[in-house]
Amino acid sequence: MTNTGETGTLHGARAELLEAAARGAEWTPRFPQSGSTQHPASVLVLFGRLDSIPARTDDQTVAADLDVLLQRRAATLSSHPGQVSFPGGGREPADADVVATALREAQEETGLDPAGVEVLASLPEIPLAVSSFLVTPVLGWWRTPSRVAAVDHAETVEVFRIPVAKLIDPANRYSAVLHRDGLTYKGPAFEVDGTVVWGFTAGILNALFDATGWALPWDPAIERPVTV
């Protein structure tokens, strides 16, 4: 439900994302670290209105009206093969800043038109030891959605939009458990219509849903193994 303040101003999902971004240092997740070199990278965390609902003004759009843009990485990649991820990648010398990296990578991987994306904020950078990247999540609002599809199948095998309502459904949530190299990783995961989201991407979504107040109670004690 859309909330109203004392002045009667509507505060929808976009406003909740902006408020959460302003407190990003409080809730941005941290992942296991190592001493490896960390290269700068950005990912685009892009929310848009569902195509199946009438267009509404920003302050009337609530979380249940939204979807988020994701992609599935090629199984042949050396980093996070076959996993669902946000569009993004490493910074290039020509990139002006972290936002430029996120938009360029998203355009190269999904074909989206950056002109239709309103950048809301850059969240605190996150060291990601498993791929030796220092990742900045860039939070976006898709004012004018454009057609998306996998551009280079050597890197991305499919691009899709998952409704936020399905991601926050407690029936679609559990803890992913990975045993590798004598260590155990456990973190939030989502499974929607057979698509599994776990690891870094699920960690960002989980923390963001908590920070915006969109999350519904779910049971982290439900565990399922994942493999890489």
Side-chain angles (χ1 to χ4, degrees):
M1 178 179 294
T2 303
N3 299 318
T4 58
E6 294 180 358
T7 62
T9 301
L10 292 170
H11 300 286
R14 179 178 174 277
E16 290 161 350
L17 287 168
L18 284 168
E19 182 181 355
R23 297 182 288 103
E26 301 174 10
W27 58 264
T28 303
R30 287 289 177 257
F31 297 88
Q33 301 306 305
S34 75
S36 59
T37 302
Q38 292 168 342
H39 306 287
S42 300
V43 296
L44 182 63
V45 184
L46 183 59
F47 291 93
R49 296 186 184 92
L50 292 165
D51 290 336
S52 60
I53 65 168
R56 296 192 275 181
T57 59
D58 289 335
D59 59 4
Q60 293 177 321
T61 301
V62 297
D65 299 333
L66 300 181
D67 55 28
V68 63
L69 181 66
L70 297 173
Q71 62 182 19
R72 189 182 308 279
R73 296 168 59 82
T76 54
L77 292 175
S78 59
S79 177
H80 310 290
Q83 291 186 24
V84 172
S85 69
F86 301 116
R91 183 171 183 174
E92 295 186 355
D95 294 338
D97 51 26
V98 295
V99 170
T101 298
L103 293 177
R104 174 187 54 75
E105 285 283 341
Q107 183 177 29
E108 291 176 358
E109 292 175 339
T110 74
L112 68 74
D113 182 359
V117 176
E118 176 192 1
V119 174
L120 299 181
S122 297
L123 298 174
E125 58 189 18
I126 302 171
L128 195 58
V130 68
S131 55
S132 300
F133 280 116
L134 188 63
V135 183
T136 300
V138 174
L139 191 60
W141 184 260
W142 216 354
R143 286 198 175 278
T144 309
S146 48
R147 182 182 178 275
V148 290
V151 175
D152 182 355
H153 284 269
E155 293 190 3
T156 306
V157 294
E158 62 177 324
V159 175
F160 48 91
R161 297 162 62 178
I162 292 186
V164 169
K166 289 189 175 182
L167 288 168
I168 63 176
D169 184 342
N172 295 332
R173 305 202 58 182
Y174 60 95
S175 294
V177 181
L178 172 66
H179 301 287
R180 185 171 61 179
D181 300 330
L183 300 175
T184 298
Y185 163 86
K186 183 184 297 185
F190 307 83
E191 182 169 358
V192 177
D193 299 329
T195 295
V196 175
V197 185
W198 68 285
F200 174 84
T201 303
I204 295 294
L205 289 173
N206 174 71
L208 185 56
F209 293 160
D210 284 343
T212 53
W214 300 350
L216 300 174
W218 61 285
D219 187 1
I222 299 174
E223 299 181 358
R224 300 179 193 172
V226 293
T227 58
V228 292

